[in-house]
């Protein structure tokens, strides 16, 4: 099967230009001006007036994550399908090692969740809940098996939390094996005390979640982990950075040459602490770290422009408001943490282009190219280049649409952005040579998504 994308503007992280793109099988085979005159194709897709961009890569999702006595609602079918509608053709999901399990036992469960289900490609990070003499050398195997990064938590005591010595040992292991530690940096033990203080004061509504999870405790944990990483000689990546204090620690560290990177998420750029504050409705917005006051978002946007924040993931972890978020009525600590967003990320970040906050090239970088590089998939993914996977989106920068639970494809009963009009939308979404979304209709196939065996991150490291 040969498909020609004709008359579009190719937008990449490095620049934009008018050219046609020829796809054969699963791969981009030719790029050039006026190809229509010289090549034959089974289908010609007219991308006139549109952008031709590499498929989005969401490197932070949680399909079916167990949390707080329930499970994130989307599975790999509904989650990757919703992602595709939003222009994302690859996700990197977090497999979970529970306490007492080997890493492979946890990973195998995620393979079972994804295989035969995903409509688009996926990789895995490994959540490490048990750093032991046995799991440390097992990290080396995972790095070689295409799962080269490991998420650890200074948050969630009693669940995913790791004490400092465990984090330090894991960092030392990645300094040797070339893997990457991803950190959820909030001081969980202190936050638990602050949360209990809120409840003791009678604050049991979701706003208590935001008040207890003090941004300085994200800054403290971020700085602590960076220092550990520096001593270990290891790179470190901060997931879902939300706080200006954390950003300050990151920027200072990068200034002195530390190998530290971070992502943020649309919710920390567009939503605020106020969203947590409308009685129990605020439960829809309970995630960790929590939504912050607007001054934090201002700094995050600037950091994203400057590349101090490398990329944008969603932390997609959807729980229905009815029946799931409601588990925390009367005690915000029992609300499952997480927000939906995998479908909305590319459009929300394109809105930043429409608003003049990001160039269109930086938009492509933060939603596709930077995640591909950071997570060992570039240039197979994240690029419009000969030899790259034909993960291609024809994006209409002019069309507007309204984000709403009534029309979205995520398996969750609300949208965090209900009623928001965004500029831009994905018209055609191709995954490895097959069109899986065409003008609002799903044309893909359950099970067509493949596991992507990833390489080590492509940034300099200390040997
Ligand atoms: O609230 C969140 N972020 N839920 C998902 C788990 C995590 O910490 O990423
Ligand atoms: Zn986290
Ligand atoms: Zn997460």
């Amino acid at each position: 099967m040969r498909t020609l994308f004709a008359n579009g503007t190719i937008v990449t992280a490095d620049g934009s230009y008018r050219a046609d793109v020829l796809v054969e099988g699963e791969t981009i085979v030719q790029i050039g001006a006026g190809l229509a005159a010289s090549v034959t194709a089974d289908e010609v897709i007219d991308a006139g007036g549109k952008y031709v961009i590499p498929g989005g890569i969401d490197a932070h999702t949680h399909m079916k994550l167990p949390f707080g006595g329930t499970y994130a609602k989307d599975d790999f079918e509904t989650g990757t399908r919703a992602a595709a509608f939003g222009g994302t053709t690859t996700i990197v999901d977090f497999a979970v090692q529970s306490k007492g399990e080997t890493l492979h036992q946890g990973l195998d469960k995620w393979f079972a969740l994804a295989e035969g289900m995903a409509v688009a490609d996926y990789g895995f990070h490994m959540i490490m809940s048990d750093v032991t003499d046995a799991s440390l050398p097992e990290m080396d195997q995972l790095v070689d098996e295409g799962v080269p990064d490991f998420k650890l938590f200074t948050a969630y005591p009693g669940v995913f939390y790791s004490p400092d010595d465990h984090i330090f040992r894991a960092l030392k292991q990645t300094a040797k094996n070339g893997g990457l530690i991803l950190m959820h940096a909030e001081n969980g033990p202190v936050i638990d005390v602050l949360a209990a203080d809120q409840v003791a004061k009678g604050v049991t509504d979701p706003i208590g979640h935001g008040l207890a999870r003090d941004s300085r405790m994200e800054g403290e944990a971020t700085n602590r982990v960076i220092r550990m990483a520096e001593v270990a000689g290891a790179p470190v990546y901060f997931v879902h950075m939300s706080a200006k204090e954390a950003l300050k620690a990151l920027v200072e560290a990068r200034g002195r040459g530390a190998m530290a990177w971070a992502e943020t998420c649309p919710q920390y750029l567009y939503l605020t602490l106020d969203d947590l504050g409308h009685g129990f409705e605020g439960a829809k917005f309970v995630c960790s770290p929590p939504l912050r006051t607007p001054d934090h978002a201002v700094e995050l946007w600037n950091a994203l422009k400057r590349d101090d924040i490398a990329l944008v993931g969603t932390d997609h972890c959807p729980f229905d408001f009815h029946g799931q978020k409601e588990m925390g009525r009367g005690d915000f600590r029992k609300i499952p943490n997480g927000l939906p967003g995998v479908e909305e990320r590319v459009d929300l970040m394109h809105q930043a282009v429409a608003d003049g906050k990001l160039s269109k090239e930086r938009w492509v970088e933060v939603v596709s190219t930077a995640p591909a590089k950071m997570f060992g998939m570039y240039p197979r993914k994240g690029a419009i280049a000969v030899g790259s996977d034909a993960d291609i989106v024809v994006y209409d920068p002019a069309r507007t649409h309204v984000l709403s639970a009534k029309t979205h494809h995520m398996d969750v009963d609300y949208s965090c952005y209900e009623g928001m009009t965004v500029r831009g939308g994905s018209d055609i979404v191709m995954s490895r040579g097959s069109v899986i979304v065409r003008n609002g209709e799903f044309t893909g196939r359950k099970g067509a998504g493949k596991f992507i065996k990833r390489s080590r991150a492509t940034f300099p490291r200390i040997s």
Side-chain angles (χ1 to χ4, degrees):
M1 174 78 183
R2 283 156 68 93
T3 308
L4 182 70
F5 292 87
N7 311 316
T9 299
I10 297 176
V11 182
T12 74
D14 295 326
S16 304
Y17 56 102
R18 290 284 298 274
D20 302 339
V21 180
L22 182 65
V23 171
E24 190 169 302
E26 300 191 346
T27 311
I28 297 173
V29 293
Q30 212 176 331
I31 300 172
L35 283 186
S38 57
V39 303
T40 55
D42 302 291
E43 185 185 4
V44 177
I45 293 174
D46 182 13
K50 315 270 172 75
Y51 297 155
V52 176
I53 63 169
I57 299 175
D58 189 346
H60 190 154
T61 68
H62 297 284
M63 304 306 166
K64 286 287 163 209
L65 179 78
F67 198 107
T70 186
Y71 290 86
K73 196 76 191 312
D74 269 315
D75 61 24
F76 275 81
E77 181 189 4
T78 61
T80 55
R81 192 168 164 272
F85 274 103
T88 289
T89 51
T90 306
I91 62 165
V92 190
D93 203 78
F94 284 84
V96 179
Q97 176 215 23
S98 303
K99 285 242 179 313
E101 280 183 341
T102 66
L103 297 179
H104 280 97
Q105 282 168 337
L107 184 59
D108 286 350
K109 283 186 219 158
W110 256 257
F111 272 114
L113 285 173
E115 277 168 353
M117 293 287 280
V119 310
D121 291 347
Y122 55 91
F124 296 120
H125 311 289
M126 191 77 226
I127 286 181
M128 231 178 140
S129 308
D130 215 3
V131 177
T132 64
D133 288 344
S135 61
L136 283 164
E138 209 189 347
M139 292 169 80
D140 304 355
Q141 293 169 27
L142 261 70
V143 171
D144 291 336
E145 291 164 12
V147 181
D149 17 68
F150 306 87
K151 183 178 180 189
L152 285 93
F153 297 73
T154 57
Y156 308 136
V159 191
F160 298 131
Y161 174 79
S162 287
D164 288 354
D165 57 330
H166 289 202
I167 294 168
F168 186 61
R169 291 184 80 197
L171 283 162
K172 279 179 34 159
Q173 199 74 24
T174 54
K176 284 188 284 181
N177 67 24
L180 179 63
I181 298 297
L182 317 184
M183 283 305 307
H184 179 139
E186 288 183 288
N187 189 322
V190 170
I191 284 168
D192 277 2
V193 174
L194 294 171
D197 290 347
Q198 290 293 333
V199 173
K201 277 196 294 191
V203 182
T204 57
D205 268 348
I207 189 66
H209 177 83
L211 298 175
R213 300 187 89 90
D214 193 302
S215 61
R216 290 167 292 187
M217 292 293 97
E218 187 181 334
E220 180 277 324
T222 302
N223 182 57
R224 178 163 32 110
V225 171
I226 289 171
R227 286 305 194 182
M228 286 194 270
E230 287 179 296
V231 174
V236 64
Y237 174 95
F238 293 90
V239 291
H240 48 47
M241 187 168 277
S242 73
K244 61 185 180 188
E245 293 88 345
L247 188 56
K248 184 165 182 288
L250 177 82
V251 171
E252 278 175 14
R254 289 167 62 84
R256 64 178 179 264
M259 294 185 294
W261 287 267
E263 71 179 18
T264 191
C265 311
Q267 55 268 33
Y268 302 118
L269 297 167
Y270 283 99
L271 306 174
T272 72
L273 183 65
D274 280 352
D275 291 300
L276 282 163
H278 306 106
F280 193 72
E281 278 291 305
K284 292 176 178 172
F285 300 92
V286 166
C287 59
S288 292
L291 304 181
R292 306 289 188 193
T293 48
D295 47 321
H296 294 270
V298 170
E299 299 206 19
L300 293 173
W301 276 116
N302 287 337
L304 197 59
K305 281 184 212 167
R306 289 193 312 259
D307 200 22
D308 275 324
I309 289 184
L311 60 99
V312 176
T314 58
D315 198 5
H316 175 78
C317 189
F319 299 100
D320 275 343
F321 179 69
H322 297 290
Q324 290 190 298
K325 292 284 187 182
E326 280 179 337
M327 292 162 71
R329 268 195 202 279
D331 186 346
F332 65 79
R333 294 172 297 185
K334 298 194 175 123
I335 301 170
N337 286 201
L339 308 184
V342 73
E343 187 170 352
E344 295 152 330
R345 180 188 65 124
V346 171
D347 292 335
L348 285 166
M349 297 319 298
H350 183 264
Q351 183 59 40
V353 179
D355 291 342
K357 287 189 167 116
L358 298 180
S359 69
K360 61 186 184 307
E361 292 77 17
R362 180 67 180 149
W363 164 60
V364 167
E365 187 165 34
V366 300
V367 300
S368 179
T369 308
K373 288 181 177 171
M374 184 68 64
F375 296 113
M377 292 181 274
Y378 187 82
R380 177 173 174 190
K381 307 276 188 196
I384 298 288
V386 171
S388 296
D389 279 0
D391 294 349
I392 298 174
V393 175
V394 176
Y395 197 86
D396 183 349
R399 150 160 95 79
T400 58
H401 67 281
V402 177
L403 303 178
S404 171
K406 292 188 198 82
T407 48
H408 74 202
H409 303 85
M410 300 177 284
D411 184 16
V412 62
D413 65 3
Y414 72 97
S415 167
C416 291
Y417 307 95
E418 187 65 42
M420 178 176 171
T421 301
V422 284
R423 173 85 59 87
S426 299
D427 287 354
I428 304 280
V429 180
M430 175 178 271
S431 166
R432 270 185 297 98
S434 299
V435 173
I436 61 171
V437 174
R438 192 186 289 270
N439 301 323
E441 292 297 321
F442 181 65
T443 54
R445 183 174 57 82
K446 179 180 176 180
K450 279 193 190 154
F451 169 67
I452 302 299
K453 188 176 174 199
R454 295 179 295 115
S455 311
R456 293 160 174 82
T458 44
F459 48 73
R461 57 181 76 247
I462 293 171
S463 56

